Amino acid sequence: MNDELQALRAEADSALAACADPRALEALRVGLLGRSGRLTLLLRDLGKTAPEARRERGAALNRLRDELAARIEARGAELEAAALAARLAAERVDVTLPPRPRENGTIHPISRTMEEMAAIFGAMGFAVAEGPDVEDDWRNFGALNIPEHHSARQDMDTFYLPGEREGRRRVLRTHTSPVQIRTMLASPPPIRVIAPGRTYRADHDATHSPMFHQCEGLAIDRDLTLGHLKGCLIDFLRAFFAAPALPVRFRASYFPFTEPSMEVDIGWNRRTGEIGRGGDWLEILGSGMVHPRVLANCGLDPREWQGFAFGMGVERVTMLKHGINDLRPFYESDLRWLRHYGFSPFAPPMLHEGV
Ligand code: PHE
């Protein structure tokens, strides 16, 4: 390598070392190896070199070009690593600091109740399933054995949406039961799921909101019986209301998608609102053994599979549990109400604390 190239290399060396950021490095690269970079121009001028020296000079130039390209790339990687390290140092979060609860944020009682349901049923082996708020009338009604002109379709004050999906009318789901259908269609039994979520009915007064919440439950296996249903719901209600001796009553009822069907009542005092004693009964949820036709609609052979389902109103059990007697403030976002009835985000439901 002749003196001229040596000098160029030495110059590039110190320039490289001085490069402190990717932009300066890019400028240096363009100045040396770009289209009119110094090394590029030297290579271009190779033709003017005397033929006998050309080969040697060409090789030297090429070597220097490769060497510089590699060094520039290495320097670039160095700069990037340094930038990342600097960012990590600057944005460091000390995860060992104790939490600092802030007063201006609480978990809504509805969310809290659904979390508690997930915790209690989760401990019994139930997973949480979901479905969309906008359903089709087959999943909301038909597959659940509610025929076209059945009164339940009117009783539920259904919100129909314009347009169709796969030839089916679109509805805002009137209950969480279509998640039963979705779950059975999506995966083979055994099934144990709950499905908390929003539901809609065209109904609006002091005790009804057009949007409210339900929690569905579904268990399918080869040998589930009414006994399992009862045990499961009694355990749930006693844990949820933190009342180990809570009286629970099962009363024959009717739902098109369960057979037999049962309404579930808990003991309370109508006058004081106290749960667990007082001699009065309060209806709290619907339940039953999944109707064979519903199983068949989901491709399950009713001679092989059976199980139980239940559904309950989330607002209703929340109001009972916390002594809230008006439904409307649940949706009014009044901060005073939310601070009063809301829950700390830093204390999620824990089963060993009785949720
Ligand atoms: N879907 C019913 C309702 O909204 C409740 C229910 C669910 C009843 C599952 C039985 C079984 O009233």
Side-chain angles (χ1 to χ4, degrees), residues 175 177 180 201 214 216 255 257-258 286-287 309-311:
H175 50 179
S177 300
Q180 288 188 37
R201 293 181 197 180
Q214 285 192 342
E216 195 79 6
F255 298 102
F257 33 92
T258 47
S287 67
F310 55 86

